[in-house]
């Protein structure tokens, strides 16, 4: 790939009132090391790096720009250096003897840019022989920055609305509007299938409490109708809770305390409804956040978490859902959202579903666990100010992959990937359409 | 010179070995203790130890890294490490020294094998250094120790090889021995404080990576309390 001209990104809010940022940064870092698990991890990562630069070949951002600053190890070193210099005995001694400069204001700016250029896709993780998780370092770097007020406005505003706003969700959809949308969708389904397919609301004791990425209620009616159609076919009990209907968890992208609060709100809703399982809709980060952090924050009796693709795949394999193979004639490809694919959790299931009814299914190379990020991962997709960066740098590799497939549809089972890929397609002038997995299921399901 | 060599082979060597062993043991022990303590604090304590062990072995398998555009780096790195690990421990001359100090020894590598491994380590160390200088990515992230360690290791091995083959040695024997002993001691002394420590930390890497996302419940909020920022609006 030819290097793309770099675009500098500057989009975060500054601390208000102004403060001594380096000092505050170090205080926040120290507080996190004291209370969290990060000290143990950083201590290992700070000592083990051999600076082999293998990670450089894995990172789509570096591949696009070719800038040394975009090498995962280079980026991680920004934070590891602060850790060594200020929080280890050797580092403090070395600084005394050799006079290493302390953390500066400029360092903070460098980190702020670096940690939001990284999409925390964790692809580089596979390439590091030492096992350094650069995505985690990005995550921690963002957390500390956010504690001194350096955070993208888009993420901040969404989380504030979700945790402290009137609507309690990131798209600020009031409950009456949600209920209207649901009855509209039920009407649509009635017209399409001539059947009473419901979006159950506040059903106590349901097997599945459903959390879609809330923006789906505004933007992805077909995805939602496809999911409702699957439940109609299986007959399982499911419900949407009126107390909390948003699966999005932007805490995962910048601050652990919000990550925890959002998970606890999800758990509270499931407990209020006496539901048995948490079911997350088509959304990568919402699924990973729930899968990984419900057990972390939910105590011993935390409910199991499953993703809608897992559910539909099981339903199809058990014969409860039938998909007609003659409906979709176009060429289809599948984009793996990093947050559900990197760990290998959801890689085979969507392919089983798609291959069962799509004749012309093609893969991007590489795909699955080793996929390339859409370029809008870790919440950067919601930062509109950096669209040019996201599509021409972060998404450059993805655009190349998409073009090579010659597909008409790219299936992206994730609200964030959908938005980003639509912008990538538009900006790279590709001739294809982004679609949800359940949008295709909706077209093909036999009821 | 002889006195310096004797000092290097005697007290300094023993001191260097003690520092290296204590240093790397400290890292290994802290890795285990740190893990046990952390596991008690994290919310999600389920750990698939078998999978972690398997993953550790998988990550150590160099073949895994051959399917990458940097395959030649992998080849060089493996070539470098084989001699680096085997020769200092299994070279006959070294075992004799150990035997005289410890009272026991172990089987040695055949001389020609040790020679070939040493030469491979020397050449690959220099090629790794050249690769570091050549690739702008490696250059950009390199620190002083990344530049200094490969030549130091190459010098230790080259001087050792020349000592084993006096007929090929263009230098004075004592100087060669001095360089070999003192560079060897220096490498042992810096082991716990440089990236060489990955020799002991690497087996823990997958365990650490597994813990990387194991949050401690309430950590974020407790940190905010420590910072005196409780109750602040989001
Ligand atoms: S996590 Fe992804 S974007 Fe970030 S450094 Fe690694 S490969 Fe690059």
């Amino acid at each position: 790939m030819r290097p793309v001209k770099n675009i500098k990104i500057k989009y975060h809010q500054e601390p208000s009132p102004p403060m001594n940022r380096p000092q505050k940064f170090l205080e926040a870092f120290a507080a996190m090391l004291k209370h969290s698990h990060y000290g143990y991890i950083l201590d290992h990562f700070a000592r083990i790096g051999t600076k082999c630069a293998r990670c450089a070949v894995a990172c789509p951002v570096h591949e696009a720009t070719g800038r040394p600053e975009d090498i995962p190890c280079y980026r991680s070193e920004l934070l590891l250096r602060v850790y060594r210099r200020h929080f280890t005995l050797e580092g403090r001694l070395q600084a005394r003897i050799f006079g290493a400069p302390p953390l500066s204001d400029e360092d903070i700016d460098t980190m702020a840019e670096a940690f939001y250029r990284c999409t925390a896709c964790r692809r580089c993780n596979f390439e590091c022989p030492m096992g350094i998780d650069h995505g985690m370092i990005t995550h921690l770097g963002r957390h500390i920055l956010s504690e001194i007020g350096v955070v993208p406005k888009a993420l901040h505003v969404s989380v504030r609305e979700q945790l402290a706003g009137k609507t309690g969700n990131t798209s600020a959809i009031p409950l009456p509007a949600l209920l209207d949308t649901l009855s509209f969708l039920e009407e649509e389904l009635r017209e399409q299938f001539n059947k009473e397919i419901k979006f159950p609301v506040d059903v106590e004791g349901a097997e599945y409490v459903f959390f879609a990425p809330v923006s789906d209620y505004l933007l992805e009616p077909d995805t939602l109708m496809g999911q409702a159609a699957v439940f109609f076919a299986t007959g399982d009990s499911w419900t949407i809770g009126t107390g909390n209907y948003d699966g999005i968890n932007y805490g995962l992208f910048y601050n652990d305390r919000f990550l925890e609060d959002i998970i606890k709100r999800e758990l509270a809703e499931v407990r209020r409804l006496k539901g048995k399982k948490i079911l997350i809709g088509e959304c990568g980060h919402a699924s990973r956040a729930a899968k990984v952090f419900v057990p972390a924050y939910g105590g011993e009796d935390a409910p199991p978490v499953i993703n809608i693709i897992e559910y539909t795949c099981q339903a199809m394999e058990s014969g409860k859902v039938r998909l007609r193979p003659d409906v979709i004639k176009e060429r289809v490809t599948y984009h793996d959202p990093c947050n559900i694919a990197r760990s290998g959790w959801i890689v085979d299931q969507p392919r089983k579903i798609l291959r069962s009814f799509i004749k012309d299914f093609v893969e991007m190379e590489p795909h699955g666990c080793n996929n390339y990020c859409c370029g809008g991962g870790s919440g950067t997709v919601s930062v509109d100010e950096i669209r040019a960066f996201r599509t021409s740098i972060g998404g450059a590799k993805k655009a190349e992959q998409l073009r090579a497939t010659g597909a008409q549809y790219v299936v992206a089972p994730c609200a964030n990937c959908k938005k980003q890929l639509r912008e990538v397609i538009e900006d790279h002038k590709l001739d294809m359409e982004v679609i949800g997995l359940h949008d295709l299921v909706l077209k093909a399901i036999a009821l | 010179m002889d006195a310096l060599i004797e000092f290097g082979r005697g007290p300094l060597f023993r001191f260097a070995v003690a520092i290296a062993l204590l240093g790397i043991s400290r890292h290994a022990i802290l890795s285990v203790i740190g893990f046990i303590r952390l596991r008690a604090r994290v919310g999600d304590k389920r750990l698939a130890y078998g999978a972690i062990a398997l993953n550790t072995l998988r990550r150590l398998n160099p073949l895994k890294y051959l399917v990458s555009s940097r395959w030649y780096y992998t080849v060089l790195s493996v070539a470098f490490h084989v001699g680096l690990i085997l020769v200092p421990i299994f070279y006959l001359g070294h075992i004799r020294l150990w035997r005289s100090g410890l009272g026991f020894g172990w089987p040695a590598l055949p001389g020609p094998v040790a020679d070939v491994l040493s030469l491979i380590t020397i050449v690959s160390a220099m090629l790794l250094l050249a690769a570091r200088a050549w690739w702008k990515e490696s250059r950009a992230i390199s620190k002083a120790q990344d530049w200094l360690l490969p030549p130091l290791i190459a010098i230790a091995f080259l001087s050792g090889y020349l000592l084993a083959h006096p007929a090929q040695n263009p230098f004075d024997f004592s100087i060669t021995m001095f360089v070999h002993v003192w560079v060897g001691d220096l490498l042992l002394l810096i082991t716990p404080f440089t990236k060489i420590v990955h020799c002991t930390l690497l087996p823990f890497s997958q365990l650490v990576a597994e813990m990387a996302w194991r949050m401690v419940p309430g950590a974020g909020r407790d940190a905010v309390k420590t910072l005196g920022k409780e109750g602040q609006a989001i």
Side-chain angles (χ1 to χ4, degrees), chain A residues 58-61 70 72 75 117-124 134-135 138:
Chain A
C59 176
V61 177
D70 287 323
R75 177 182 300 114
R117 289 175 76 89
C118 167
T119 62
C121 72
R122 300 171 74 227
R123 187 167 192 271
C124 48
H134 299 289
T138 288

Side-chain angles (χ1 to χ4, degrees), chain A residues 240-315:
Chain A
I240 296 167
T242 55
N244 179 8
Y245 39 91
D246 189 2
I248 284 178
N249 192 333
Y250 284 168
L252 176 66
F253 299 149
Y254 81 98
N255 189 297
D256 286 356
R257 80 188 138 103
F258 303 141
L259 168 69
E260 179 168 357
D261 288 350
I262 294 166
I263 291 289
K264 286 191 167 154
R265 286 189 74 236
E266 249 169 43
L267 283 162
E269 184 64 350
V270 175
R271 285 175 182 145
R272 179 182 77 85
L273 293 168
K274 301 186 181 64
K276 300 200 176 60
K277 292 177 187 139
I278 293 178
L279 176 68
I280 307 287
E282 286 196 9
C283 187
H285 91 277
S287 302
R288 172 167 165 238
K291 182 84 177 170
V292 175
F293 302 112
V294 161
Y297 297 131
E300 304 261 296
D301 61 340
V305 173
I306 70 162
N307 169 282
I308 187 72
I309 304 173
E310 269 181 305
Y311 178 80
T312 300
C313 183
Q314 280 164 15

Side-chain angles (χ1 to χ4, degrees), chain A residues 55-63 70-73 75-76 114-115 117-125 132-136 138 142 338 342 371-373 378 394:
Chain A
C55 52
V57 297
C59 176
V61 177
H62 175 262
E63 211 173 316
D70 287 323
I71 299 169
C73 226
R75 177 182 300 114
S76 294
F115 293 138
R117 289 175 76 89
C118 167
T119 62
C121 72
R122 300 171 74 227
R123 187 167 192 271
C124 48
N125 196 7
I132 296 178
D133 188 336
H134 299 289
M136 189 224 82
T138 288
R142 289 180 180 194
C338 302
R342 192 72 66 222
N371 75 320
Y372 275 104
C373 176
S378 73

Side-chain angles (χ1 to χ4, degrees), chain A residues 208-396:
Chain A
Y208 300 97
V209 179
F210 181 63
F211 296 90
V214 78
S215 52
D216 276 10
Y217 294 110
L218 295 173
L219 304 168
E220 308 294 344
D222 286 5
T223 306
L224 293 164
M225 287 193 287
Q227 291 158 355
V230 168
F231 271 105
F232 182 82
T234 62
D236 285 341
S237 63
W238 69 298
T239 188
I240 296 167
T242 55
N244 179 8
Y245 39 91
D246 189 2
I248 284 178
N249 192 333
Y250 284 168
L252 176 66
F253 299 149
Y254 81 98
N255 189 297
D256 286 356
R257 80 188 138 103
F258 303 141
L259 168 69
E260 179 168 357
D261 288 350
I262 294 166
I263 291 289
K264 286 191 167 154
R265 286 189 74 236
E266 249 169 43
L267 283 162
E269 184 64 350
V270 175
R271 285 175 182 145
R272 179 182 77 85
L273 293 168
K274 301 186 181 64
K276 300 200 176 60
K277 292 177 187 139
I278 293 178
L279 176 68
I280 307 287
E282 286 196 9
C283 187
H285 91 277
S287 302
R288 172 167 165 238
K291 182 84 177 170
V292 175
F293 302 112
V294 161
Y297 297 131
E300 304 261 296
D301 61 340
V305 173
I306 70 162
N307 169 282
I308 187 72
I309 304 173
E310 269 181 305
Y311 178 80
T312 300
C313 183
Q314 280 164 15
M316 191 192 78
E317 288 184 322
S318 66
K320 288 183 183 161
V321 164
R322 283 187 306 112
L323 300 169
R324 291 172 293 148
D326 49 345
V327 181
I328 310 289
K329 308 251 179 346
E330 295 87 348
R331 175 173 289 187
V332 174
T333 188
Y334 178 78
H335 164 73
D336 288 279
C338 302
N339 279 305
I340 51 177
R342 192 72 66 222
S343 62
W345 174 28
I346 292 175
V347 172
D348 295 338
Q349 304 90 325
R351 290 177 167 81
K352 280 185 194 162
I353 299 171
L354 292 170
R355 284 186 193 282
S356 77
F357 72 105
I358 287 168
K359 290 195 187 80
D360 193 4
F361 177 76
V362 290
E363 289 282 14
M364 287 182 255
E365 290 306 333
H367 59 265
C369 304
N370 202 24
N371 75 320
Y372 275 104
C373 176
C374 59
S378 73
T380 57
V381 68
S382 53
V383 189
D384 284 328
E385 302 92 297
I386 61 167
R387 171 167 172 163
F389 169 81
R390 282 192 280 107
T391 60
S392 72
I393 292 177

Side-chain angles (χ1 to χ4, degrees), chain A residues 27-28 31-32 34-38 40-41 44 47-54 56-57 62 66 68 71 74 77 84 122 125-131 133 136 139 147 156 160 163 256-258 260-261 288 293 295-297, chain B residues 27 30-31 34-35 38 41 43-44 46 59 64-65 68-70 73-74 132 136-138 140-141 143 146 195 197-198 201-202 204-206 208-209 211-224 226-227 229 234:
Chain A
E27 284 171 12
M32 269 320 265
K34 180 173 173 201
H35 296 288
S36 75
H37 68 300
Y38 293 116
Y40 177 69
I41 316 293
H44 184 89
R47 293 175 202 281
I48 199 167
T50 56
K51 302 287 180 292
C52 65
R54 294 188 64 101
V57 297
H62 175 262
I71 299 169
Y74 187 102
E77 182 63 18
R84 269 190 230 103
R122 300 171 74 227
N125 196 7
F126 288 141
E127 275 297 325
C128 179
M130 300 296 132
D133 188 336
M136 189 224 82
H139 173 86
E147 289 297 355
H156 180 189
R160 191 174 54 201
L163 288 175
D256 286 356
R257 80 188 138 103
F258 303 141
E260 179 168 357
D261 288 350
R288 172 167 165 238
F293 302 112
Y297 297 131
Chain B
H27 283 302
L30 287 181
S31 293
F35 166 73
L38 181 56
R41 292 171 59 221
D44 181 7
R46 300 166 306 168
R59 289 283 187 137
K64 171 187 174 327
Y65 302 99
S68 138
S69 56
R70 289 269 168 102
Y73 181 88
T74 304
R132 185 172 289 283
K136 78 174 193 315
E137 287 85 2
S138 319
I141 60 174
K143 298 193 294 182
D146 304 309
K195 65 178 185 178
V197 78
H198 72 262
L201 289 182
L202 191 54
F204 296 98
S205 270
Q206 289 313 306
V208 172
M211 299 304 284
W213 295 92
R214 305 270 168 156
M215 307 311 197
V216 174
R221 206 144 292 284
D222 289 344
V224 162
T226 300
L227 294 169
K229 295 201 309 178
I234 293 171

